[in-house]
Amino acid sequence: MPRHIKTAALAGTQDEADAKTRATVEAIITDVKARGDAAVRELSERFDKWSPSSFRLSDDEIRALVAKVSSQTIDDIKFAQQQIRNFAEIQRQSLRDVEVETMPGVVLGHRHIPVGRVGCYVPGGRYPMVASAHMSIVTARVAGVGHIAACTPPNQGGPHPETIAAMHLGGADEIYVLGGVQAVAAMALGTATFTPVDMLVGPGNAYVAEAKRQLYGKVGIDLFAGPTEVLVIADDTADAEMCATDLLGQAEHGPTSPAILLTTSEKLAHDTIAEVARQLTVLPTADVAGVAWRDYGEVILCADENEMIAEADRIAAEHVEVLCHEPRRYLDRLSNYGALFLGPGPTSPMATR
């Protein structure tokens, strides 16, 4: 039976937190639905201290923000988007329309029709979240979406220029500096200044995720994505420093981001805990990552590989890393995960930046 070497400090309290989140989000959505732009502005002032003359960036404002980004970063953004675009095009080509006569006079089929209008939410925070722009806006454009509106929160008085550059280069038709539930609700419900979208996509914190859940049906959504999470599966061949680095690389996304280590090595379990503690003394994002590790971090010791695989499928994490001998064999054995990274090369933090 799996044994916890480290338990999340807030284990068992999630139901109460979820109830509070649901109530808060429902109240905000109701307010935006009833009062439109007035509610959106008041909420933005309350939560983000942000109330510009217009939440939508003009072309001149976009150009000015993009001009603040270094040429190296622009090149990096373009390179990353091209890789994502290339694979998205391959995915799109794999979606084939079908029409077949199943019996004389009976013709059945299906078609893949792009969504008319999509709202992309690109989270904010201390650092630019350019990858979220790549993975929502670029893919929507490849899919053939007719119109793409995108929102990102302000950060200490304005948006991250790098995020705006990624949104613009990715192909967004409209860019708004507006965050939180009020942004998602405005895109979904529409206001005097927001044309309602058909589908909401993109990650966010627990409140944004809950807003998408409550708005599903009024609009489509990509998936119910809460705070980012990582699960590292490691045996006695793994390096504790790498395990700790990758756990903290996701934990730094936010104070509610779970980071979990599954291992068959009790030595690695304790070494990783010690290494996390060491890194938190020097990590610039320790104030966020440390809270996430304390409240949501876990280290679980398993008897063998079979138990690790069963526990991994029970947890069903968004990002799963395998740092084990012959990691490729886990590809056929694991079932429940969002993205799987095999071996020490393709780490989750590298792949999601």
Side-chain angles (χ1 to χ4, degrees):
M1 180 177 179
R3 174 166 64 91
H4 274 80
I5 304 297
K6 180 194 179 302
T7 302
L10 294 185
T13 66
Q14 196 59 47
D15 287 347
E16 181 181 355
D18 287 348
K20 291 179 180 178
T21 300
R22 284 195 297 270
T24 299
V25 170
E26 184 176 9
I28 293 173
I29 291 175
T30 299
D31 194 18
V32 172
K33 186 175 184 180
R35 299 193 300 123
D37 286 332
V40 170
R41 185 165 295 278
E42 287 180 19
L43 291 161
S44 182
E45 289 175 341
R46 184 196 311 170
F47 295 123
D48 291 325
K49 297 181 175 57
W50 179 248
S51 184
S53 57
S54 173
F55 291 110
R56 181 177 176 179
L57 293 177
S58 67
D59 290 343
D60 287 344
E61 288 172 322
I62 292 171
R63 279 193 291 270
L65 286 163
V66 173
K68 294 180 179 180
V69 183
S70 72
S71 59
Q72 180 61 61
T73 300
I74 292 292
D75 288 344
D76 291 343
I77 288 171
K78 289 180 177 178
F79 175 81
Q81 291 188 349
Q82 189 58 49
Q83 310 319 302
I84 292 165
R85 188 177 294 110
N86 289 344
F87 188 66
E89 288 171 349
I90 292 169
Q91 290 177 301
R92 180 64 185 89
Q93 291 165 12
S94 74
L95 302 174
R96 298 176 56 195
D97 292 347
V98 173
E99 185 173 303
V100 60
E101 188 172 16
T102 58
M103 57 185 297
V106 178
V107 178
L108 305 177
H110 70 237
R111 297 178 61 201
H112 295 88
I113 302 173
V115 174
R117 297 181 66 90
V118 163
C120 299
Y121 188 80
V122 180
R126 184 182 303 177
Y127 300 104
M129 299 291 287
V130 295
S132 295
H134 303 339
M135 293 184 284
S136 59
I137 296 169
V138 172
T139 51
R141 186 56 71 205
V142 171
V145 169
H147 190 91
I148 302 171
C151 285
T152 191
N155 176 65
Q156 297 180 349
H160 287 295
E162 296 85 356
T163 301
I164 300 303
M167 296 164 80
H168 174 65
L169 294 171
D173 297 297
E174 303 172 54
I175 298 176
Y176 295 85
V177 182
L178 182 66
V181 176
Q182 60 270 22
V184 174
M187 288 192 289
L189 301 173
T191 69
T193 57
F194 281 83
T195 302
V197 301
D198 303 308
M199 185 175 188
L200 291 169
V201 301
N205 62 18
Y207 293 94
V208 169
E210 175 61 21
K212 289 170 66 178
R213 190 189 69 81
Q214 291 190 22
L215 289 164
Y216 177 62
K218 177 69 176 176
V219 294
I221 65 171
D222 49 353
L223 74 165
F224 183 55
T228 190
E229 59 190 11
V230 64
L231 172 68
V232 175
I233 302 173
D235 61 16
D236 59 5
T237 67
D239 177 68
E241 183 178 7
M242 177 170 284
C243 291
T245 301
D246 289 352
L247 290 166
L248 292 175
Q250 291 298 119
E252 70 181 9
H253 278 65
T256 58
S257 294
I260 305 170
L261 172 67
L262 281 182
T263 183
T264 51
S265 169
E266 186 162 0
K267 181 180 185 301
L268 180 68
H270 290 290
D271 287 350
T272 299
I273 292 172
E275 179 61 21
V276 167
R278 185 195 70 78
Q279 291 191 25
L280 286 174
T281 66
V282 297
L283 193 67
T285 55
D287 57 333
V288 175
V291 172
W293 176 249
R294 179 196 68 203
D295 292 346
Y296 294 92
E298 299 179 63
V299 176
I300 304 172
L301 184 65
C302 296
D304 53 31
E305 181 180 297
N306 290 335
E307 192 167 82
M308 278 204 300
I309 289 170
E311 189 70 0
D313 279 342
R314 180 191 67 80
I315 294 168
E318 176 192 9
H319 303 101
V320 176
E321 289 185 30
V322 179
L323 301 177
C324 297
H325 179 63
E326 296 181 358
R328 179 81 185 180
R329 69 179 184 275
Y330 284 79
L331 180 61
D332 295 325
R333 301 199 63 192
L334 289 168
S335 301
N336 302 336
Y337 54 85
L340 183 62
F341 305 90
L342 301 174
T347 66
S348 171
M350 286 288 289
T352 56
R353 288 301 192 271

